[in-house]
Amino acid sequence: MPISIVRGDAEVLRGVTAFLRQLADLRDAAIADFAAAAKMRVLEPGASFCDQGQTVHELGYVQSGIVRYFVTLPDGNEATKDFSFVGGFTLSFGSAVMQRPGALMLGP
């Protein structure tokens, strides 16, 4: 599964790996694999991390800003379902875990 660090740098990656070590007893090799798979990217306002109906298998870490989970309704309006905040992770669960198109859009 590709890993995206949303709006990040090497310092953030060190913070994320330290956080993961608090959650589980991870071997150095597992942390090295995680760091090697991570890629940094910035989501600009209006950009999406995951589009509704898209099959995405990425895990994101929010360094700054807020990621909004929302759905576009048949009438074109948007309904917000949830948020990911600074220091949290973001993921389209249905897409990544259940291997099906995501029901929600994720974006700043």
Side-chain angles (χ1 to χ4, degrees):
M1 171 189 315
I3 302 159
S4 292
I5 308 299
V6 178
R7 193 177 259 295
D9 56 21
E11 183 64 31
V12 172
L13 184 57
R14 283 190 291 277
V16 171
T17 56
F19 174 75
L20 292 174
R21 285 183 188 272
Q22 291 175 0
L23 296 176
D25 183 22
L26 299 173
R27 291 176 286 167
D28 289 339
I31 293 294
D33 288 345
F34 174 85
K39 62 182 179 184
M40 307 297 178
R41 76 170 151 152
V42 174
L43 292 180
E44 299 297 333
S48 68
F49 182 68
C50 175
D51 291 322
Q52 191 172 342
Q54 182 180 6
T55 302
V56 176
H57 305 283
E58 291 185 309
L59 170 67
Y61 175 77
V62 184
Q63 179 190 356
S64 66
I66 298 171
V67 175
R68 179 173 69 118
Y69 293 65
F70 63 99
V71 63
T72 302
L73 302 171
D75 64 6
N77 289 319
E78 295 176 351
T80 299
K81 300 287 189 176
D82 204 354
F83 296 94
S84 287
F85 298 98
V86 172
F89 289 90
T90 188
L91 166 79
S92 174
F93 181 82
S95 176
V97 176
M98 302 180 74
Q99 306 291 311
R100 63 179 181 185
L104 301 172
M105 291 184 69
L106 285 67

